[in-house]
């Protein structure tokens, strides 16, 4: 569609989130799909205008509030879908979330804060899926790999991670060989289609020519397309058939 309306939203400001939500609710009677996608990573610790550590505030809290403000309209619009873009980086939050220091006031590292914010995305989506069970609204996560503009921004943080031992050489190879956004877009699109209307509480990932599913945050099942440098991206129509058959078969 060419009927695209753009509205301002600053996820670092809860006031802006509330204003945006009100604008959406006033502008439309239906919300069929909500895609939450934020991937901020900062060299130094800063705070939002509301006093939250910025990485956690933008990547998690802003979307948490936005989803809550739009939840009633999503349920009224069922069947509807919530898709949260997380990250492979959540696997590096090995100690989980420190609920005594969610704002990283005692200790801050850019990649650590980013990893924990992305783990929060997944935990939030998992709980949301359970709460929405039976409403006709589904909630799923997607970890797109580094196939975004964040890829270039994150390079020094990945290099530091390898030097300190936080990341392995295999992690570095995966980062260097990450696919372009065209390989991830069909998976996001598939999760927004009617074909995914019965899928909820899942965490999908994309890396190279692979589409996979995490189960309890462990890589459980995957489909491999082949090297993204020599093979085309998945087509949404292919995913309609292959994801339920290969990744979601019980």
């Amino acid at each position: 569609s060419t009927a695209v309306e753009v509205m301002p939203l600053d996820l670092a400001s809860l006031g802006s989130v509330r204003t945006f939500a009100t604008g959406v609710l006033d502008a439309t009677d239906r919300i069929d799909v909500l895609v939450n996608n934020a991937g901020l990573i900062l060299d130094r610790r800063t705070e939002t205008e509301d006093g939250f550590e910025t990485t956690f505030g933008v990547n998690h809290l802003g979307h948490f509030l936005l989803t809550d403000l739009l939840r009633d309209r999503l349920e009224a619009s069922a069947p509807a879908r919530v898709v949260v873009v997380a990250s492979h980086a959540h696997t590096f939050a090995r100690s989980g979330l420190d609920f005594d220091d969610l704002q990283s006031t005692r200790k801050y590292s850019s990649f650590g804060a980013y990893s924990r914010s992305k783990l929060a995305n997944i935990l939030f989506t998992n709980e949301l899926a359970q709460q929405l069970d039976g409403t006709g609204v589904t909630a799923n996560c997607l970890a797109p790999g580094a196939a975004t503009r964040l890829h270039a921004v994150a390079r020094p943080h990945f290099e530091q991670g390898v030097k300190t031992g936080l990341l392995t050489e295999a992690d570095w190879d995966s980062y260097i060989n990450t696919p372009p956004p065209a390989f991830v877009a069909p998976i996001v699109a598939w999760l927004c289609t009617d074909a995914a209307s019965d899928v909820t509480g899942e965490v999908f990932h994309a890396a190279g020519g692979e589409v996979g599913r995490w189960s309890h945050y462990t890589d459980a099942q995957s489909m491999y397309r082949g090297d993204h440098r020599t093979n085309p991206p998945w087509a949404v129509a292919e995913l309609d058939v292959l994801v339920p058959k290969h990744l979601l078969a019980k």
Side-chain angles (χ1 to χ4, degrees), residues 90-91 202-203 205 212-222:
H90 82 271
T91 59
E202 297 286 355
V203 185
H205 69 85
R213 178 177 72 97
W214 270 298
S215 177
H216 302 294
Y217 319 121
T218 300
D219 197 1
Q221 296 172 275
S222 63

Side-chain angles (χ1 to χ4, degrees), residues 3-44:
V4 178
E5 182 176 350
V6 178
M7 301 172 64
L9 170 62
D10 180 1
L11 290 167
S13 165
L14 298 185
S16 175
V17 173
R18 293 182 186 278
T19 299
F20 174 82
T22 298
V24 170
L25 294 174
D26 288 344
T28 180
D29 294 329
R30 292 187 56 82
I31 302 176
D32 297 299
V33 179
L34 172 63
V35 179
N36 292 328
N37 181 16
L40 179 71
I41 186 168
L42 297 173
D43 287 328
R44 59 185 181 85

Side-chain angles (χ1 to χ4, degrees), residues 81 190-199 236 239-241 243-244 248:
R81 288 161 290 286
W190 182 82
L191 286 169
C192 296
T193 65
D194 289 339
S197 60
D198 293 328
V199 181
V236 175
L239 296 175
D240 284 348
V241 176
V243 172
L248 302 175

